[in-house]
Amino acid sequence: MAKLSTEELLDAFKEMTLLELSEFVKQFETTFEVTAAAPVAVAAAGPAAAAEEAEEQTDFNVVLESAGEKKIQVIKVVREVVSGLGLKEAKELVESAPKAILEGVAKDVADAAKEKLEAAGAKITVK
């Protein structure tokens, strides 16, 4: 078989459907015992990729770092912020800090909860 140039290979790939190309990749991986995944490329992207991910983030976690000096007020606000939480559960949550209070919430909800909890004396981080 004649050796194909890189351009000829790319032209051949351009003519293939996505399904055909996917099957080709699977067969290529099997034949040469490699994977098409590029974990090194992701790691090499480093801070730029992290910055893009932070900009596109839509779900946030509100983490209680510490209750501070006003533990009772923080427990009250935790019960207010986290729906369906009893006094005992809220107390255990506050005492087990650092602990996630809200997970996967919108930015405005996370900011509102952070504001309320910090006003009560808690130390909060939003991730």
Side-chain angles (χ1 to χ4, degrees):
M1 183 174 163
K3 185 175 177 181
L4 298 175
S5 71
T6 305
E7 288 180 22
E8 291 171 332
L9 283 171
L10 288 174
D11 288 338
F13 291 143
K14 288 178 184 176
E15 294 176 11
M16 298 173 83
T17 65
L18 288 177
L19 185 57
E20 292 170 334
L21 195 54
S22 174
E23 290 174 7
F24 170 77
V25 169
K26 287 178 187 173
Q27 195 171 12
F28 185 90
E29 289 175 339
T30 304
T31 303
F32 295 105
E33 298 177 0
V34 296
T35 61
V40 176
V42 174
E52 285 180 25
E53 188 176 308
E55 289 175 17
E56 297 175 10
Q57 186 175 359
T58 56
D59 293 337
F60 295 87
N61 297 337
V62 179
V63 179
L64 174 69
E65 297 296 330
S66 70
E69 296 177 12
K70 301 177 181 177
K71 188 171 162 183
I72 294 173
Q73 283 79 4
V74 173
I75 292 170
K76 289 179 183 179
V77 175
V78 166
R79 287 189 66 203
E80 194 178 303
V81 171
V82 182
S83 62
L85 210 58
L87 182 60
K88 180 181 177 188
E89 292 86 3
K91 181 178 182 272
E92 289 172 354
L93 188 81
V94 169
E95 289 176 346
S96 65
K99 183 88 171 182
I101 294 177
L102 297 172
E103 294 179 338
V105 296
K107 180 152 180 67
D108 57 338
V109 174
D111 288 340
K114 179 181 179 183
E115 192 175 305
K116 285 181 183 180
L117 288 160
E118 285 180 340
K123 182 179 177 195
I124 302 295
T125 57
V126 176
K127 297 180 182 178

